[in-house]
Amino acid sequence: MPVDDVVVTAAIRRQEERLARDPSSLAFAQLADLYRKAGRSADAIATCRAGLQRYPHYTTARLILAKTLLAENDPAAALAEIETILQVSPKDVQCHRLAAEAHRRLGRLDAAVRSLEAAVALDPGDRESRALLSLLRADTGGGETAGVARLLADDTFVTVAFGTVCLEQGLADEAAVVFTRMLRQDPGNTEARERLEMALRARSRRKG
């Protein structure tokens, strides 16, 4: 077992023992986060929900729940948790970023743009949110996507085939613009939505 796994497993055991000694402890949130990091999503979700029944205003636990639900490809449920947090903490930048991701994965690009705009307004130094904002606006006027600006001046190349070629060539930003444009034309286009997520994951790996 890798060292990191051993450390996480030991930490989980300690938190489980702590919670067993004091079931009313706020340690449930730490335990849930450890479950999430260990890939035990079902345990993380169950632990968060049980704890939130006792402490419904514990935003840390609600945020962990939202992250886990997103990881489990349930953006609608995640968004419900995020919006609950934002009702009491409207300046929570991380929640605005997560809301943008949830909206995007639901195909709601305009709502995702508004969430990113809020994140950037609260944190002007957030370069990643600024870059994503440009991509989701399908801005081809400059920056990293300028190379395809002329091709995307009309809809001739706004196709799955062209976006996929861009993606295969390592042009993740350009592919993201193509698929974003497709979704703006047809918000129900499941394939474009899935390919947009692929492009953004590829972009994240490249920048990581």
Side-chain angles (χ1 to χ4, degrees):
M1 183 181 294
V3 174
D4 287 349
D5 290 349
V6 172
V7 172
V8 171
T9 299
I12 286 173
R13 187 178 302 113
R14 287 195 299 271
Q15 292 301 330
E16 286 176 337
E17 291 170 353
R18 180 181 175 187
L19 202 58
R21 291 193 301 271
D22 182 8
S24 64
S25 170
L26 291 175
F28 78 90
Q30 292 171 276
L31 177 59
D33 202 33
L34 288 166
Y35 283 147
R36 179 180 70 87
K37 291 173 180 176
R40 294 171 58 178
S41 296
D43 289 331
I45 291 169
T47 301
C48 278
R49 285 183 168 154
L52 284 167
Q53 287 182 349
R54 296 192 301 272
Y55 303 103
H57 303 299
Y58 191 18
T59 56
T60 297
R62 203 169 290 281
L63 182 60
I64 292 165
L65 176 56
K67 288 180 178 180
T68 310
L69 290 166
L70 269 178
E72 287 299 291
N73 198 30
D74 192 350
L79 188 59
E81 302 299 334
I82 294 164
E83 288 176 341
T84 298
I85 298 171
L86 288 173
Q87 286 175 5
V88 295
S89 302
K91 294 185 178 181
D92 190 315
V93 177
Q94 185 177 13
C95 279
H96 284 294
R97 294 188 193 114
L98 287 172
E101 180 178 350
H103 281 304
R104 189 189 73 228
R105 288 167 61 175
L106 288 166
R108 304 169 184 169
L109 296 188
D110 288 339
V113 165
R114 288 194 294 272
S115 292
L116 286 171
E117 287 172 340
V120 169
L122 290 166
D123 182 7
D126 184 354
R127 296 177 62 185
E128 181 59 18
S129 289
R130 284 185 180 278
L132 284 173
L133 191 53
S134 178
L135 291 175
L136 294 187
R137 285 171 173 163
D139 179 10
T140 60
E144 294 182 14
T145 61
V148 293
R150 286 178 296 174
L151 291 177
L152 296 178
D154 58 39
D155 292 339
T156 303
F157 289 91
V158 181
T159 65
V160 169
F162 183 68
T164 301
V165 168
C166 288
L167 197 53
E168 290 172 347
Q169 295 299 314
L171 303 173
D173 288 333
E174 289 83 347
V177 169
V178 172
F179 297 126
T180 297
R181 287 278 298 275
M182 291 183 66
L183 278 173
R184 289 199 172 281
Q185 295 170 4
D186 179 10
N189 190 324
T190 303
E191 185 174 16
R193 188 187 311 167
E194 292 173 351
R195 296 296 176 112
L196 174 59
E197 293 305 310
M198 288 174 61
L200 292 177
R201 285 194 297 270
R203 180 178 179 277
S204 179
R205 287 194 298 270
R206 185 190 70 197
K207 291 185 178 297

